[in-house]
Amino acid sequence: MPSKTHLLSTLAVAATFACLSTGAAAQNYPITSGQRTTAQQVAQAGVALSELAPNAPDQYTIRSGDTLWAISGLFLKSPWRWPELWGMNLNDIQNPHRIFPGQVLYLDKTGGRARLTTRAPGADLDTVKVSPRVRGESLADSAIPTVSMAHIAPFLQEPLIVDEATFALAPRIVATQENRVLLSRGDRAYARSLSADAPQATPLALENGRSKAYRVFREAVPLKDPTTQEILGFEAQYVGAADLLSNETQRDGVDADGKAAKEIVPASLDITRAKQELRVGDRLLPEPEREFTNYVPHAPKTQLQGQVVSVYGNAVRYAAQNQVVAINRGRQHGLERGHVLALQRGSDLVVDGTDSGRPNMRLPGERNGLMMVFRIFDRVSYALVLQIEDGVQVGDRFGNP
């Protein structure tokens, strides 16, 4: 039975997790007494020794470039179970131990259960003094992330799933200075929402007289379910960003015949970022709120199955490790950020050469790797391929790990 001081230490660690969850955002994750109890129980339980990887080390020193997923793979057969090894409450503690290069992790196997700790075996827990206090810690980039954010960060900003109606009503770039064909960072552009095809669109306007940020997208590519061919949404191709400087308006003027008429005055924009050269016809969508980007990889609690819809990137047919795929499951299906899913190879059609009738056989799909969901829309989500044996392609199936 753990000592009273050990239990208090566990609660202190749980509270520290909550306080360190990405600075001010952590204030949205209070810890209740019931949640403390859950965290305490998980911390005491650990995982069964049979869940440890065959060559799990007794200790490991954190190195620059490590991720919690990779470290957990050293210790566990199933890396997505690392919250249990770390003693985390998945529902309310969104950040694991903040560990840094140079720190040593120890594998505690006492009582037939495995736990990961930063305390060396035999450390005198009874000398630990726990008291309420405000803790301050720099949220430096040196703290190791859950997974490699370098592979995910661009996709939190760039791809966007929209429905056809939303994209059709989105404002568009209609003109450039000096009739330029292509635009880049620092250039001025002009845009409007209203048109004969979209008379119900909302005109571009500043917010309380202040500039407004937009993302610039090109044609929206339909994402179809590989089996049903149903359109699940439209993937808008990100090409850049712009700041709105003035409103879309009209003013009194004259037409070609000299008669009084209303003149269209498009809104002015400054291009602030260009992934590709922008052009007339590109669409604008408001800059969304920044998403919470601290992921806790975990297995779904219910059965989930589906297929890969697309491999992100121009002319990319196969996805390798650390690449992104779109899948035909989303918020409507109970998908969550951090869900780990098992990829399966496509099932091959072969001929049974041992049968004189030479019938065709469909071989069962075999497990091919793992991916983690990191961005969710209603019926489509994006997932990062974490482990893979063969390339992932459109139509490949996935399920629970």
Side-chain angles (χ1 to χ4, degrees), residues 170-212:
R172 65 208 178 279
I173 295 176
V174 294
T176 65
Q177 284 187 325
E178 301 173 352
N179 293 321
R180 293 182 181 176
V181 176
L182 301 174
L183 297 165
S184 59
R185 185 170 178 239
D187 287 340
R188 178 66 54 87
Y190 304 98
R192 58 188 298 250
S193 296
L194 297 172
S195 70
D197 296 325
Q200 73 276 35
T202 302
L204 282 167
L206 302 174
E207 288 188 349
N208 301 318
R210 296 182 179 180
S211 176
K212 187 175 179 181

Side-chain angles (χ1 to χ4, degrees), residues 35 54 63 129 144 166 178 183 200 202 250 255 266 269 273 276 285 302 311 322-323 363 366 371 387:
Q35 293 159 1
R63 296 176 294 184
K129 181 179 179 181
I144 69 169
T166 298
E178 301 173 352
L183 297 165
Q200 73 276 35
T202 302
Q250 291 185 348
D255 60 19
L269 299 158
R273 187 184 174 206
Q276 301 178 24
L285 291 167
T302 58
V311 176
N322 295 326
Q323 287 188 290
L363 299 183
E366 299 293 341
M371 62 181 176
Q387 300 172 2

Side-chain angles (χ1 to χ4, degrees), residues 56-135:
D58 292 328
Q59 67 181 59
Y60 178 77
T61 302
I62 306 300
R63 296 176 294 184
S64 178
D66 278 342
T67 63
L68 289 174
W69 175 269
I71 293 171
S72 298
L74 293 175
F75 292 96
L76 291 171
K77 295 177 182 176
S78 305
W80 61 89
R81 295 191 61 183
W82 64 271
E84 299 170 58
L85 188 68
W86 283 89
M88 288 179 62
N89 175 1
L90 271 179
N91 293 325
D92 300 283
I93 302 174
Q94 297 295 317
N95 199 12
H97 299 264
R98 287 193 67 82
I99 55 177
F100 298 83
Q103 285 186 301
V104 182
L105 304 178
Y106 300 94
L107 187 61
D108 179 4
K109 301 178 185 177
T110 58
R113 306 287 289 184
R115 305 165 192 82
L116 207 55
T117 177
T118 54
R119 290 185 178 276
D124 186 3
L125 293 175
D126 290 329
T127 62
V128 177
K129 181 179 179 181
V130 179
S131 59
R133 65 187 185 275
V134 176
R135 300 187 182 191

Side-chain angles (χ1 to χ4, degrees), residues 343-400:
L343 286 156
Q344 297 178 336
R345 291 186 181 90
S347 53
D348 295 328
L349 190 66
V350 299
V351 175
D352 182 1
T354 66
D355 187 329
S356 59
R358 303 185 66 80
N360 289 328
M361 301 184 300
R362 176 69 67 179
L363 299 183
E366 299 293 341
R367 180 160 164 164
N368 190 29
L370 295 170
M371 62 181 176
M372 185 196 77
V373 176
F374 67 89
R375 195 170 185 204
I376 301 173
F377 298 91
D378 285 343
R379 298 197 293 168
V380 179
S381 298
Y382 288 109
L384 177 70
V385 178
L386 295 171
Q387 300 172 2
I388 199 67
E389 295 181 17
D390 293 331
V392 184
Q393 61 182 322
V394 172
D396 281 358
R397 297 187 177 274
F398 63 82
N400 289 47

Side-chain angles (χ1 to χ4, degrees), residues 220-236:
V221 178
L223 294 180
K224 297 182 179 180
D225 186 288
T227 300
T228 66
Q229 295 301 302
E230 177 187 6
I231 295 178
L232 305 175
F234 290 81
E235 183 181 73

